[in-house]
């Protein structure tokens, strides 16, 4: 006679699955990571079951003690996971029931369908909180890097061609803005993760008078006012993974921003730019070329974007076309979700650490920023100040640039006569436009890379990030 497992699904099955089937269907190899959430969820559920009279006080105490012991063993790496018990939920419950007979009552009015939805939501809440903090540390690293080099000016680029001068800090603060939007998106996403699905059962709730509010409160599923947040449709609750997709989509956008930052770092660290030097510990050598110092962290950051995007597309594809309600397909959500969070969090941490160990090559930056062509637009503004229409001024300065090229002179080395040969509006003060410090002091619109404005933005971010 077949010995039934302590957590038997029913008396209906005459034989268990074959080894190949068990291996194909198991999820314990990855969902063991939900053990802590699973235990906390079970303790809250049991607490509620006692309150509504399903468990006695002593049964609740035994269940709690048993679950806590199991939790400690898992934490210490002493718990034996059994693949034949499929997933984290059955492994824990089976072991509990083996130790504590009252464990057999724990699953009252609960299904693995609402249980797994609960566990993922709880796990994701923690991940969002951690990632939000890590994102802010990355923002801090960017702000500090800029604040350490407040007077460094570099060319700003469009089309990867030199455009106009900007403070190095201004360039870095562009990323601080991107990550601030990501942070806000995470906060928004959290609100929809933080809704308690327990009590939805397999699909249709329960005939027993569960206290869903109590469970939600015990597990912290509350809004800012402390009001419990409950899913409002049992069918939606057990099959919804929108919250995971939202997180993966926020993560994908974070990956985009990280990848762009990585690309800037890679360019800046190249011999061609040579704007920055990454500390040795954050680079690697070449096995063949002894002179190489490669920006591998930045490259991997750029590369890992692929899997973060891939995970998002996997989840979207997984959900599409699923009939209501829970389908086993949903088990495929976890590896993609785990991988997204692991990847994005590690990347954010490593990029912050790398930036903290990167220095600016002031001399190269200065030389690049000294290119007078960067101030050609300022020369057009000079003519506009004299009353010329901008289109006409643009045309005149274009002719000045062409003349300088023809004479093989830098723009700021043209004589007044040469300038006047292009347009009589140029006066003796025209060349003052090429005073870089003065030029930088004049761009103080909100959000512009002016001396005062960049200092203001740096101070604002320092204050915001604490
Ligand atoms: N391991 C399953 C998952 O990750 C748990 C839910 C299983 N439910 C079920 N009815 N087979 O989705």
């Amino acid at each position: 006679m077949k010995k039934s497992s302590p957590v038997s699904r029913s008396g209906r099955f005459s034989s268990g699955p074959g080894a190949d089937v068990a291996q194909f269907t198991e999820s314990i190899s990855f969902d063991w990571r939900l053990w802590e959430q699973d235990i906390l969820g079970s303790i809250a559920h049991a607490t509620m079951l006692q309150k509504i009279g399903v468990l006695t006080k002593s049964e609740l105490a035994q269940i709690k003690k048993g679950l806590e012991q199991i939790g400690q063993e898992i934490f210490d790496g002493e718990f034996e996971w059994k693949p034949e018990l499929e997933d984290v939920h059955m492994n824990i419950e089976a072991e509990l029931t083996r130790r504590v007979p009252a464990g057999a009552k724990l699953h009252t009015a609960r299904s693995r369908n609402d249980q797994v939805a609960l566990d993922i939501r709880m796990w994701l809440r923690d991940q969002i909180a951690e990632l939000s903090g890590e994102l802010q540390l990355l923002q801090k690293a960017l702000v500090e890097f800029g604040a350490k080099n407040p007077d460094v000016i570099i060319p700003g680029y469009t089309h990867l061609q030199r455009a106009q001068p900007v403070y190095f800090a201004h360039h870095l603060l562009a990323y601080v803005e991107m990550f601030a939007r990501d942070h806000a998106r995470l906060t928004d996403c959290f609100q929809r993760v933080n809704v308690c699905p327990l009590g939805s059962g397999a699909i249709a709730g329960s005939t027993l008078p569960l206290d869903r509010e109590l469970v939600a409160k015990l597990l912290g599923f509350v809004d800012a006012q402390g009001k419990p947040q409950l899913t409002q449709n049992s069918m939606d609750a057990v099959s919804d993974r929108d919250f995971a997709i939202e997180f993966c989509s926020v993560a994908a956008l974070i990956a985009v921003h990280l990848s762009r930052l990585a690309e800037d770092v890679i360019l800046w660290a190249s011999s061609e730019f040579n704007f920055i030097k990454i500390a040795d510990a954050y680079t690697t050598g070449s096995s063949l070329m002894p002179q190489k110092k490669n920006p591998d962290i930045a490259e991997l950051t750029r590369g890992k974007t692929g899997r973060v995007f891939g995970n998002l597309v996997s989840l979207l594809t997984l959900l599409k076309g699923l009939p209501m309600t829970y389908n086993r397909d949903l088990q495929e959500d976890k590896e993609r979700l785990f991988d997204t969070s692991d990847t994005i969090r590690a990347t954010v941490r490593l990029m912050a650490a790398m930036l903290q160990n990167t220095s600016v090559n002031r001399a190269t930056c200065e030389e690049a920023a000294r290119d007078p062509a960067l101030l050609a637009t300022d020369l057009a503004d000079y003519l506009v100040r004299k009353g010329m229409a901008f289109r006409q001024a643009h045309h005149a300065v274009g002719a000045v640039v062409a003349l300088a090229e023809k004479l093989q002179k830098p723009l700021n080395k043209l004589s007044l006569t040469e300038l006047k040969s292009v347009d009589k509006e140029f006066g003796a003060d025209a060349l003052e436009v090429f005073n870089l410090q003065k030029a930088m002091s004049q761009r103080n619109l909100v959000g512009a890379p002016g001396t005062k404005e960049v200092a203001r933005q740096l101070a604002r971010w320092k204050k915001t990030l604490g």
Side-chain angles (χ1 to χ4, degrees):
M1 202 183 80
K2 186 186 161 280
K3 226 179 120 220
S4 74
S5 89
V7 178
S8 110
R9 273 168 292 186
S10 76
R12 185 163 181 267
F13 292 87
S14 53
S15 70
D20 52 348
V21 172
Q23 203 188 10
F24 189 71
T25 53
E26 67 86 23
S27 57
I28 190 62
S29 56
F30 48 89
D31 70 12
W32 65 269
R33 286 183 67 169
L34 298 172
W35 67 267
E36 202 173 358
Q37 291 73 24
D38 201 73
I39 286 177
L40 290 172
S42 286
I43 291 176
H45 184 65
T47 305
M48 182 275 291
L49 290 179
Q50 187 273 317
K51 203 185 146 224
I52 65 167
V54 173
L55 294 176
T56 66
K57 280 207 166 115
S58 131
E59 284 170 332
L60 170 62
Q62 290 166 41
I63 286 175
K64 250 175 119 172
K65 195 163 155 234
L67 285 170
E68 279 161 5
Q69 267 170 4
I70 289 172
Q72 189 59 49
E73 286 163 29
I74 298 172
F75 184 80
D76 295 337
E78 282 159 10
F79 189 78
E80 194 202 333
W81 298 108
K82 297 188 179 125
E84 64 274 20
L85 288 173
E86 230 180 86
D87 57 24
V88 64
H89 324 292
M90 300 234 279
N91 264 273
I92 292 176
E93 194 192 331
E95 185 53 26
L96 174 74
T97 310
R98 198 185 63 77
R99 298 178 188 190
V100 177
K105 293 185 175 180
L106 176 62
H107 214 47
T108 308
R110 185 175 72 167
S111 154
R112 276 185 297 157
N113 298 353
D114 57 352
Q115 190 177 359
V116 71
L118 174 82
D119 292 3
I120 304 173
R121 284 173 181 272
M122 287 174 69
W123 182 85
L124 193 50
R125 282 193 314 198
D126 292 348
Q127 296 296 312
I128 291 175
E130 297 285 339
L131 175 57
S132 297
E134 287 156 352
L135 261 187
Q136 285 184 326
L137 290 180
L138 173 59
Q139 287 182 299
K140 259 188 167 169
L142 286 160
V143 171
E144 273 161 23
F145 195 16
K148 243 194 265 168
N149 302 281
D151 52 341
V152 173
I153 302 166
I154 55 170
Y157 296 78
T158 63
H159 311 266
L160 211 51
Q161 305 286 320
R162 284 185 182 172
Q164 294 187 291
V166 295
Y167 280 102
F168 181 67
H170 188 64
H171 192 131
L172 296 178
L173 287 179
Y175 287 101
V176 177
E177 295 289 336
M178 293 178 223
F179 294 127
R181 293 194 292 273
D182 293 330
H183 191 272
R185 272 185 280 270
L186 278 177
T187 307
D188 183 59
C189 168
F190 184 89
Q191 291 179 40
R192 280 174 296 282
V193 176
N194 195 31
V195 184
C196 188
L198 217 59
S200 303
I203 169 170
S206 171
T207 56
L208 298 169
L210 305 187
D211 187 344
R212 292 194 63 201
E213 277 86 1
L214 173 65
V215 175
K217 277 191 202 154
L218 288 173
L219 295 174
F221 287 97
V222 292
D223 66 9
Q225 284 72 47
K227 187 169 170 274
Q229 304 295 298
L230 306 179
T231 53
Q232 298 293 313
N233 181 297
S234 62
M235 294 177 77
D236 178 42
V238 293
S239 60
D240 171 32
R241 295 292 183 273
D242 293 1
F243 61 89
I245 292 187
E246 275 190 66
F247 174 77
C248 287
S249 110
V250 176
L253 206 39
I254 297 174
V256 169
H257 298 150
L258 288 168
S259 185
R260 293 185 65 188
L261 174 58
E263 177 62 13
D264 275 342
V265 166
I266 293 164
L267 282 175
W268 287 348
S270 69
S271 308
E272 282 66 24
F273 275 81
N274 196 24
F275 286 178
I276 56 169
K277 184 170 180 286
I278 307 170
D280 288 357
Y282 292 87
T283 61
T284 59
S286 154
S287 53
L288 190 131
M289 300 165 283
Q291 87 284 11
K292 289 300 285 293
K293 233 183 87 174
N294 298 326
D296 291 37
I297 292 183
E299 291 172 89
L300 281 169
T301 295
R302 196 175 53 186
K304 284 180 189 294
T305 311
R307 61 202 276 172
V308 176
F309 288 7
N311 290 340
L312 171 62
V313 175
S314 291
L315 286 191
L316 287 166
T317 314
L318 182 65
L319 271 264
K320 147 193 187 303
L322 274 193
M324 291 287 261
T325 53
Y326 179 86
N327 296 272
R328 192 61 179 271
D329 314 43
L330 290 175
Q331 181 167 294
E332 289 287 312
D333 61 356
K334 277 166 283 297
E335 285 163 293
R336 306 281 62 88
L337 182 64
F338 294 168
D339 185 65
T340 296
S341 190
D342 292 346
T343 304
I344 214 76
R345 287 187 55 199
T347 310
V348 166
R349 287 196 302 264
L350 263 292
M351 282 294 274
M354 186 192 65
L355 290 171
Q356 281 160 350
N357 289 280
T358 300
S359 55
V360 166
N361 294 334
R362 300 181 73 94
T364 351
C365 293
E366 250 168 52
E367 206 201 312
R370 234 186 278 131
D371 179 354
L374 292 168
L375 294 168
T377 312
D378 292 46
L379 194 59
D381 288 349
Y382 165 88
L383 292 174
V384 168
R385 283 206 179 86
K386 299 218 153 196
M388 194 182 286
F390 179 73
R391 286 292 169 212
Q392 205 187 328
H394 184 279
H395 185 82
V397 175
V400 170
V401 172
L403 177 67
E405 259 178 33
K406 202 177 108 199
L407 299 175
Q408 294 191 338
K409 281 184 175 182
L411 213 46
N412 57 343
K413 292 289 183 273
L414 291 172
S415 69
L416 183 57
T417 330
E418 284 161 350
L419 284 177
K420 277 199 183 290
S421 75
V422 174
D423 200 299
K424 280 195 262 321
E425 284 298 326
F426 285 115
D429 57 346
L431 290 175
E432 276 171 35
V433 157
F434 294 103
N435 179 330
L436 184 58
Q437 296 309 325
K438 199 172 155 209
M440 296 314 283
S441 74
Q442 282 173 346
R443 335 168 106 68
N444 283 313
L445 301 178
V446 172
T451 314
K452 275 198 192 131
E453 177 61 5
V454 173
R456 188 181 76 83
Q457 295 284 357
L458 275 174
R460 178 173 74 84
W461 278 116
K462 270 193 200 166
K463 202 173 148 209
T464 307
L465 297 167

